[in-house]
Amino acid sequence: KILKMAVNFTNNWKNILDKLESILETEFKGALPVYKGKDVPKGVNQAIQLIPTGTVLNEYNIISEIREFSVTLRYVFAEANVNEKALDHILRQVSRIEALIHDNSAMTLADSTNAFNCRFETTNLNTDEDSGAHITEWEWKCQHQGNFG
């Protein structure tokens, strides 16, 4: 009978999401709340959502692996009937978030490992049909080397 030992692991998802959240919260200083994996609470006019969507194994070897992590990042502006002034505000925030992500293409995580090649790959600007809220959605990706053994 072969006994298996408990696996040692690091919660890479938590480390990556916490760092991304910290970067966004530091930039917006509370003016734009960040929520991980849940809906924006009622009464919040604008917010950012971080929704983890998956990983892809890029490189595997005996001592580690490199994975690409994907997160849907949503900027929600919860106001129907967006006029020209509101649209200007939305597009300013979108541009600011894009510049912030560009300036943080590498991040040191809580466990001292690095997320690298962090970037937005796509941007979609939409209106939610049910609420009328304006939603900008990005596909954010980064690579991370982990599972050292």
Side-chain angles (χ1 to χ4, degrees), residues 16-83:
I16 290 169
L17 290 170
D18 285 354
K19 183 64 176 189
L20 184 56
E21 178 182 34
S22 173
I23 288 168
L24 290 160
E25 287 178 339
T26 298
E27 174 67 20
F28 289 99
K29 298 175 179 53
L32 192 56
V34 179
Y35 300 95
K36 289 188 280 192
K38 56 184 170 185
D39 290 331
V40 175
K42 298 281 187 216
V44 174
N45 292 342
Q46 60 178 346
I48 293 175
Q49 287 178 278
L50 303 177
I51 305 161
T53 55
T55 67
V56 174
L57 180 64
N58 292 139
E59 186 178 316
Y60 179 83
N61 60 57
I62 197 154
I63 60 166
S64 70
E65 64 183 25
I66 296 176
R67 288 192 167 273
E68 184 166 79
F69 287 75
S70 298
V71 176
T72 298
L73 192 148
R74 299 174 86 206
Y75 167 62
V76 179
F77 186 80
E79 189 174 305
N81 304 319
V82 172
N83 60 24

Side-chain angles (χ1 to χ4, degrees), residues 128-140:
D128 182 68
E129 292 182 17
D130 295 331
S131 67
H134 190 280
I135 298 171
T136 301
E137 191 169 279
W138 294 272
E139 190 61 30
W140 179 87

